[in-house]
Amino acid sequence: MVEKKHPLRPQVEWHSRGYLPHWEAGEHPQSITFRLADSLPSELLSRWARDLKESDPELDSTEQRRRYEEALDKGHGEALLAQPDAGSIVQAALLHFDGVRYRLHAWSIMPNHVHVLATPLVPHALSAIIHSWKSFTALQINRALGRQGMLWFPEYFDRRIRDEGHFQRALYYIETNAVSAGLCARAEDWPHSSAACIRGSNEVEL
């Protein structure tokens, strides 16, 4: 008798689609970043690829992610998530299965990318959770904005949170990202974020 595999249960801890490695860490907090398909210019990505070939193969992944997120904060591409309807759709999708498929600790929906701090709940795999967010929101945003075509870049960054200090640093980075990018003066002023909806005075609109 062949055992049926749960579609949301990770079959291996480490996996990759050929771009970035991902770690299915079970019920451990994860810092996640996913972005719009046009959020990084192709010439910039090509230059990074050349740099990687010429650099130490053990290039610090933290440095790679820092460079990646600094580029995202420049707001390349159409930055569709800055439109209120699009931002609201993503925020509602993140909140929808909070406490069911994952525990949502923090989020910030930037103009061309999304940061999330969440803990997957067994048996739901992180990869399946992110796929659900992206597939649902792509359909809804395209419909709301009257557009067609790819919305999200296929890959995403994830990082397992090591300890309480790392958790607090990740939460602070996510909730102050809009301030660091020069988009608002206070974290609570960025509407589609946990800083505004949980720690600020704004109420979540679903």
Side-chain angles (χ1 to χ4, degrees), residues 70-130:
E70 283 185 355
L72 287 177
D73 285 344
K74 295 184 184 300
H76 296 292
E78 291 185 80
L80 293 175
L81 303 181
Q83 298 192 35
D85 286 350
S88 294
I89 288 168
V90 176
Q91 181 162 269
L94 297 179
L95 289 163
H96 186 70
F97 285 111
D98 182 23
V100 178
R101 296 181 179 178
Y102 46 83
R103 289 190 295 273
L104 186 61
H105 309 296
W107 70 92
S108 182
I109 301 163
M110 301 290 284
N112 64 4
H113 64 287
V114 178
H115 293 297
V116 180
L117 182 61
T119 300
L121 298 176
V122 172
H124 301 285
L126 179 65
S127 55
I129 291 167
I130 296 172

Side-chain angles (χ1 to χ4, degrees), residues 37 80 138-139 141-142 146-152:
L80 293 175
L139 178 63
I141 289 173
N142 279 348
R147 68 183 300 278
Q148 295 180 335
M150 179 183 291
L151 182 74
W152 299 107

Side-chain angles (χ1 to χ4, degrees), residues 16-32:
S16 172
R17 295 179 60 191
Y19 303 97
L20 298 170
H22 302 295
W23 187 11
E24 296 286 1
E27 290 196 10
H28 291 278
Q30 296 264 22
S31 175
I32 306 147

Side-chain angles (χ1 to χ4, degrees), residues 170-189:
L171 187 149
Y172 179 80
Y173 175 84
I174 289 170
E175 293 197 334
T176 62
N177 192 204
V179 177
S180 301
L183 298 174
C184 59
R186 303 181 310 150
E188 294 84 358
D189 295 335

